[in-house]
Amino acid sequence: KQWYQRRVAITAGVDEVKTSGPTEEQRATLDEWAARKEPKANAKPDENEKTILHIEDTHDYQGRSFLVAPKDHEVNLYNTEPPEKCFLPKKLLHTWDAHNKGVAKVILFPKTGHLMLSCGMDSKIKLWELYGKRRCIRTYAGHAKAVRDIVFSNDGTKFLSASYDRMIKLWDTETGACLSRFTTKKIPYCVQFHPDDDKQHCFVSGMADKKIVGWDINTGEITQEYDRHLGAVNTITFIERNISFVSTSDDKSLRVWDWDIPVDRKHIADPSMHAIPSCSLSASGKWLACQSMDNKISIFATQKLRLNRKKVFKGHMVAGYACQCNFSPDNSYLISGDADGRCFIWDWKTTKVYKRFKAHDGVCIGCEWLPHETSKIVTCGWDGKIKLWD
């Protein structure tokens, strides 16, 4: 009967494609759903976006803002060469009561490292002095949930923040204004600016829905989607003179992508591998340290992204936590926090633990070695504190 009716319709010259389709009511529902799924940039400003300046002297006697590194310190903050030799820190220099809840990450100001940006589970981002009076300079509030990741642009005048409220926000470091907002309606796990100076308007974000999304800040539109991972994307690291980047995921694999090409060039997955929640590139750019969920740090050579089986750093306990690992400026030491609040320092050549000390109550989630200092380390933990060691 259906076949006969279709035949009659065809002989009558009625176009089947037009007659079969959703009703007007269904079409309206579908359009509404499509609009909801559409990625949005420059969404409406949030009423909760505000900034608090904690210092009065934002400019010095020459009119330079706090973003300009001072020249009156013992170390030359404008030196492009790393220190000749680094040493192990021995004592606690300063403690900041940074956030009401745990601190998720700390990053240093690009090149000079005279300022520090921290994000916390209290949904706030704070800017701190590392030299001089070590004050809190500015607080950036605008996220509704905990902030997961932060990253500076090359000149440090702007930074991106990714939060569990599914928003990525672009901030002006000096004024505290929120310049843009981006969302795909999924949780962003990591964000990364393109490191080239002529591509500072581009950034990529690793999402909970297994995608890496490339954005253009100027237009606010998605430029590319890298959709090959089988789990949430944890880290993105640029290698090989910034023409490609490495991503790690909960699917226990590493993938290498050429910029703006959505097919992975290399896929590293091994039955013995575990998920990698944190990565760090050495100062020379030759080595990629990957914090693995089986309580060890694996080292990959960035040239062909090969695992260096001779260099495995063990002894700490990180299973279940995205503890940050990092290199000393001269590449002679590797540092990492752990789940018991300890900070570990390994010798790069021998892979032996040189020092371990109790840094925080609870998880020591992040650590950074100051780029121009021989022995100064910043650590942050889930106890809401940031500490400076020397």
Side-chain angles (χ1 to χ4, degrees):
K1 190 180 176 183
Q2 284 177 345
W3 174 84
Y4 174 73
Q5 285 173 340
R6 208 159 69 224
R7 191 95 188 112
V8 169
I10 290 167
T11 52
V14 181
D15 191 350
E16 268 194 291
V17 179
K18 286 182 181 173
T19 55
S20 63
T23 62
E24 283 184 19
E25 196 179 321
Q26 289 170 330
R27 172 62 62 197
T29 311
L30 284 168
D31 289 344
E32 189 186 327
W33 182 78
R36 270 214 309 274
K37 271 196 66 127
E38 190 76 19
K40 286 183 185 167
N42 295 324
K44 290 176 187 173
D46 193 347
E47 300 168 3
N48 302 323
E49 280 170 8
K50 56 179 187 283
T51 178
I52 304 160
L53 185 68
H54 301 283
I55 58 169
E56 293 175 5
D57 48 334
T58 53
H59 293 74
D60 63 5
Y61 68 97
Q62 285 187 320
R64 295 174 301 197
S65 83
F66 52 77
L67 296 186
V68 180
K71 295 183 179 178
D72 56 350
H73 290 305
E74 296 169 14
V75 289
N76 178 14
L77 298 176
Y78 290 94
N79 190 4
T80 53
E81 294 296 316
E84 281 183 27
K85 179 150 176 51
C86 289
F87 304 94
L88 302 176
K90 289 180 178 168
K91 62 177 190 288
L92 177 65
L93 272 189
H94 190 79
T95 303
W96 291 276
D97 284 324
H99 293 267
N100 299 333
K101 295 179 182 175
V103 184
K105 191 174 184 180
V106 288
I107 54 170
L108 302 177
F109 197 81
K111 298 185 180 77
T112 56
H114 69 291
L115 299 174
M116 171 178 67
L117 194 69
S118 70
C119 64
M121 296 172 195
D122 58 357
S123 76
K124 290 184 174 62
I125 303 160
K126 296 188 179 184
L127 188 69
W128 308 85
E129 288 178 327
L130 275 170
Y131 295 94
K133 296 177 183 174
R134 301 195 174 113
R135 300 169 293 179
C136 178
I137 298 174
R138 194 179 270 286
T139 300
Y140 311 84
H143 284 293
K145 291 183 181 175
V147 183
R148 161 105 187 184
D149 197 17
I150 41 175
V151 63
F152 272 120
S153 61
N154 280 3
D155 57 3
T157 55
K158 301 183 185 78
F159 69 87
L160 283 166
S161 63
S163 165
Y164 285 103
D165 64 3
R166 301 167 190 234
M167 296 293 287
I168 300 168
K169 297 195 177 186
L170 179 71
W171 303 82
D172 186 301
T173 313
E174 190 175 345
T175 65
C178 183
L179 305 174
S180 293
R181 301 149 202 87
F182 310 89
T183 180
T184 63
K185 303 287 170 60
K186 295 287 185 287
I187 296 171
Y189 277 7
C190 57
V191 280
Q192 193 67 49
F193 273 105
H194 193 290
D196 286 350
D197 287 330
D198 61 340
K199 289 197 180 82
Q200 284 290 285
H201 61 283
C202 301
F203 74 90
V204 282
S205 59
M207 313 301 289
D209 66 342
K210 313 172 194 174
K211 289 181 186 172
I212 299 169
V213 181
W215 296 87
D216 188 319
I217 289 170
N218 297 338
T219 61
E221 290 180 1
I222 290 177
T223 55
Q224 191 59 270
E225 277 192 1
Y226 310 83
D227 185 12
R228 304 277 289 212
H229 273 296
L230 306 172
V233 181
N234 291 325
T235 68
I236 296 169
T237 313
F238 281 86
I239 57 168
E240 293 172 342
R241 304 187 312 281
N242 308 329
I243 57 173
S244 53
F245 61 89
V246 183
S247 62
T248 67
S249 161
D250 284 348
D251 63 8
K252 306 181 185 179
S253 71
L254 282 89
R255 290 177 194 258
V256 185
W257 314 77
D258 286 328
W259 175 253
D260 220 18
I261 297 172
V263 181
D264 48 337
R265 171 161 61 84
K266 189 167 186 179
H267 174 217
I268 301 170
D270 189 75
S272 62
M273 280 174 65
H274 283 67
I276 296 169
S278 167
C279 282
S280 178
L281 196 65
S282 67
S284 62
K286 287 181 182 175
W287 305 103
L288 184 71
C290 298
Q291 185 83 264
S292 183
M293 281 290 192
D294 55 348
N295 300 329
K296 65 183 183 194
I297 298 173
S298 305
I299 306 294
F300 289 85
T302 55
Q303 198 170 8
K304 290 185 178 176
L305 210 73
R306 283 219 180 108
L307 178 65
N308 187 338
R309 297 193 183 278
K310 289 181 182 174
K311 289 213 185 295
V312 179
F313 298 86
K314 298 177 185 171
H316 59 322
M317 232 286 295
V318 290
Y321 299 93
C323 294
Q324 205 178 336
C325 56
N326 241 308
F327 290 87
S328 64
D330 66 345
N331 275 15
S332 61
Y333 299 110
L334 188 71
I335 57 172
S336 170
D338 96 329
D340 299 328
R342 294 171 298 178
C343 183
F344 279 73
I345 305 174
W346 291 269
D347 179 44
W348 171 253
K349 278 185 181 167
T350 63
T351 71
K352 285 180 181 165
V353 177
Y354 263 19
K355 192 177 178 74
R356 63 167 78 83
F357 57 90
K358 180 78 172 167
H360 293 272
D361 302 328
V363 183
C364 176
I365 200 78
C367 53
E368 288 269 1
W369 200 301
L370 271 61
H372 302 289
E373 298 281 355
T374 53
S375 61
K376 282 198 173 86
I377 290 177
V378 170
T379 62
C380 67
W382 283 8
D383 55 359
K385 291 181 171 59
I386 300 171
K387 296 183 180 181
L388 179 66
W389 308 82
D390 188 12

